[in-house]
Amino acid sequence: MHKFILILLFVLSLFSCGTDTDTGDFSVGSDYLALSNKVVLIDTATVNMSTINFDSLATSSTGRILIGNYDDPLFGKVKSDSYFQLSGNSYALNSIGSDTESTNYVFDSISMILKYDKYYYGDTTRVQTFNIYRLTQKVKPNKEDDQFYNNSTLTYDSESLGKISFKPRPKEKDSINVQMSKVFGEALFQKIKKREVTDFDSFTEYLKGLVLVPENSTSSNVIGFSVSSSKVRLYYSKYQSDNENASNILDFSILDTSKQFNSILLDKTGTLIQDLPISTSKLSSLLTNNQGFIQAGTGVACRIDFPNIKQLKNISTNGAIVDAELILKPVNNSYSDKYPLADSLKVYVGNNLNRISGTLANSAGGAVYGRLNKKSDEFNENVGYSISLGSFLQKEMLKQSDSRSSLILTLPELTQSVNRLILGDQKHLNNKIQLKIYYISY
């Protein structure tokens, strides 16, 4: 009885201002709160969980070079290559003195400078190795929408132009410097010196672009670098100059961010989600140890269905859902310092074919997110994501058609990271999903 009074006081406080609150086709206001009204807490409604896989994710124009690979014990082998086209602010050597001065210049070296953007995932105490390769195909999308996707690839030459093995220090070190092939640098320098490369068109005709590819022999982490701050730098100087500080540079940067993308692949062989179906279908959590899977970058997402929500209309002749909360629990031992929990979840509304119609919204039209409660105890029972979905369920309950909408859960930075999450379903032994519905009859 004490619990019922608390719930009733809660509902009264919601409508004490005297203005109506939109709950779908029915408007609940303070005029309806008579003493005979009954508020009940329903926590036995069925919630179905499944894992889906988006057909593709647009990974161009994200502002992040994502490079690396690692073996995930639960998701499989994750690998990210980064492709990009370069541009120069200038395609001429320094010639302050005279037009003939450039003939005295000689090539010194060439390197790629990659500036950390603070993102990392996996074990950064281990060495990561990657190579730089020259593209043999122009950075041009195959589709009409001018975007590249996580499953996009371009052909490249098999000869490495530069290689580096390093322990990432994304929070401590400003950038890394990858020494590139002197043969490659000398050839590019001569093209510019001889005025065979004079503008963007002639430059990209000669150098279509580059790709960074991690070596499969190392498997440790994925690191983010800034697109706007990373560049290829060519050093040159005057022949037999007495001035040791007389070195000049030419920088080639990624000026067109739409011509940079990350190809993010996931090999699910041997995992619980290896049989993940096509993008319009789903893999029930009953087939994956009562778990739902989410991973940014690769398109793996979690779908939530409420198959019996319309039956709530049978509780009373006149009634409405005034509030509801969905609590999702990360599976114990599936997260750690190497695989941390995201602070929030993005929540979308989708149909039976996993096509997204928009973000989950509250009654005022504002976007609703899953908020992480980090308060932990001995068994991590309090760690979970809370989603407010009263307005959504009210509309689903009152739908006249047989169609039902689902919730699709993804992680933030969906197209520019590889973070992942595993959630327990309603039958999970230790980390059950919970749905609390507050229903008022009047």
Side-chain angles (χ1 to χ4, degrees):
M1 184 65 181
H2 178 66
K3 186 175 182 180
F4 171 80
I5 294 173
L6 288 177
I7 295 173
L8 183 58
L9 289 174
F10 167 74
V11 176
L12 285 169
S13 67
L14 286 177
F15 306 105
S16 60
C17 61
T19 58
D20 288 350
T21 301
D22 183 13
T23 54
D25 295 335
F26 175 74
S27 186
V28 178
S30 58
D31 294 338
Y32 296 101
L33 295 176
L35 293 177
S36 59
N37 291 345
K38 294 182 179 180
V39 178
V40 293
L41 169 61
I42 303 169
D43 58 5
T44 57
T46 300
V47 181
N48 290 338
M49 178 181 287
S50 55
T51 302
I52 64 173
N53 200 171
F54 294 124
D55 180 55
S56 59
L57 298 174
T59 59
S60 51
S61 301
T62 64
R64 173 175 291 163
I65 294 171
L66 202 61
I67 176 70
N69 63 345
Y70 68 96
D71 285 348
D72 190 301
L74 300 173
F75 281 75
K77 296 181 179 180
V78 182
K79 179 174 180 282
S80 181
D81 304 336
S82 192
Y83 296 78
F84 48 86
Q85 180 187 81
L86 294 169
S87 306
N89 290 322
S90 172
Y91 302 96
L93 304 182
N94 188 8
S95 58
I96 298 176
S98 67
D99 293 339
T100 61
E101 185 177 4
S102 63
T103 59
N104 296 321
Y105 287 125
V106 293
F107 168 76
D108 290 334
S109 65
I110 189 170
S111 63
M112 181 156 199
I113 302 168
L114 294 167
K115 186 171 183 179
Y116 290 108
D117 76 346
K118 310 302 182 185
Y119 174 79
Y120 63 94
Y121 204 72
D123 186 358
T124 57
T125 66
R126 297 181 59 190
V127 172
Q128 182 65 267
T129 300
F130 68 82
N131 286 270
I132 305 173
Y133 296 101
R134 183 175 186 167
L135 295 182
T136 57
Q137 182 180 354
K138 287 187 176 181
V139 185
K140 184 178 180 180
N142 294 323
K143 298 183 179 181
E144 297 178 355
D145 57 7
D146 294 328
Q147 288 186 317
F148 292 93
Y149 298 84
N150 62 313
N151 54 7
S152 299
T153 59
L154 299 172
T155 57
Y156 56 88
D157 191 85
S158 60
E159 181 181 357
S160 175
L161 298 181
K163 179 178 178 178
I164 187 172
S165 296
F166 67 109
K167 285 186 178 181
R169 296 291 183 267
K171 289 190 174 181
E172 300 175 10
K173 194 173 181 180
D174 182 59
S175 61
I176 63 171
N177 191 304
V178 187
Q179 292 296 317
M180 298 179 67
S181 164
K182 288 188 176 181
V183 174
F184 165 74
E186 176 71 39
L188 176 59
F189 172 76
Q190 291 298 331
K191 285 286 183 181
I192 296 172
K193 182 176 180 179
K194 294 176 181 179
R195 307 301 291 158
E196 295 175 9
V197 168
T198 58
D199 54 21
F200 173 76
D201 290 337
S202 57
F203 174 72
T204 52
E205 189 64 34
Y206 175 71
L207 180 61
K208 295 176 174 62
L210 299 174
V211 58
L212 309 182
V213 181
E215 286 196 352
N216 292 325
S217 58
T218 58
S219 198
S220 50
N221 48 65
V222 175
I223 307 298
F225 297 97
S226 169
V227 167
S228 61
S229 301
S230 298
K231 65 196 71 176
V232 169
R233 176 165 286 178
L234 188 152
Y235 299 85
Y236 65 98
S237 59
K238 282 188 177 181
Y239 178 65
Q240 293 183 339
S241 172
D242 294 331
N243 187 353
E244 296 181 357
N245 298 319
S247 182
N248 297 280
I249 62 172
L250 276 178
D251 282 344
F252 303 97
S253 307
I254 307 170
L255 299 182
D256 185 352
T257 59
S258 69
K259 297 299 177 64
Q260 183 276 326
F261 69 95
N262 302 310
S263 179
I264 308 171
L265 303 178
L266 175 63
D267 181 357
K268 302 182 290 292
T269 305
T271 69
L272 290 172
I273 57 173
Q274 67 176 353
D275 297 324
L276 201 58
I278 60 174
S279 60
T280 56
S281 190
K282 60 183 179 180
L283 180 64
S284 171
S285 61
L286 300 179
L287 302 176
T288 56
N289 286 357
N290 300 116
Q291 299 171 142
F293 294 74
I294 306 175
Q295 187 174 51
T298 63
V300 178
C302 185
R303 172 173 155 174
I304 305 295
D305 289 275
F306 309 92
N308 302 323
I309 195 65
K310 290 187 178 182
Q311 295 181 10
L312 268 64
K313 289 189 296 185
N314 300 327
I315 293 178
S316 65
T317 304
N318 296 301
I321 296 172
V322 293
D323 197 11
E325 181 185 23
L326 186 67
I327 302 172
L328 302 121
K329 301 291 186 68
V331 171
N332 292 343
N333 302 317
S334 68
Y335 55 95
S336 63
D337 291 338
K338 287 196 301 182
Y339 310 116
L341 294 176
D343 289 334
S344 63
L345 293 176
K346 282 192 173 182
V347 188
Y348 298 94
V349 178
N351 63 12
N352 63 321
L353 297 178
N354 303 324
R355 292 170 181 160
I356 292 175
S357 59
T359 57
L360 178 67
N362 56 28
S363 59
V368 174
Y369 297 88
R371 303 297 183 184
L372 176 64
N373 174 22
K374 294 182 179 180
K375 294 180 180 179
S376 61
D377 54 21
E378 183 180 358
F379 302 102
N380 293 325
E381 292 181 352
N382 294 322
V383 177
Y385 295 89
S386 176
I387 302 173
S388 178
L389 68 169
S391 179
F392 168 78
L393 291 182
Q394 169 69 6
K395 292 176 182 178
E396 287 296 298
M397 183 183 71
L398 296 179
K399 269 186 178 178
Q400 297 299 315
S401 66
D402 293 332
S403 66
R404 293 185 179 91
S405 296
S406 304
L407 297 183
I408 296 178
L409 311 178
T410 70
L411 291 170
E413 296 191 318
L414 174 63
T415 63
Q416 59 183 128
S417 70
V418 292
N419 294 51
R420 46 72 146 182
L421 176 66
I422 301 177
L423 301 168
D425 70 3
Q426 215 165 27
K427 294 184 179 182
H428 194 273
L429 182 61
N430 299 311
N431 308 108
K432 292 181 175 63
I433 189 173
Q434 299 175 26
L435 176 61
K436 299 178 181 180
I437 299 174
Y438 297 95
Y439 184 94
I440 184 172
S441 60
Y442 51 94

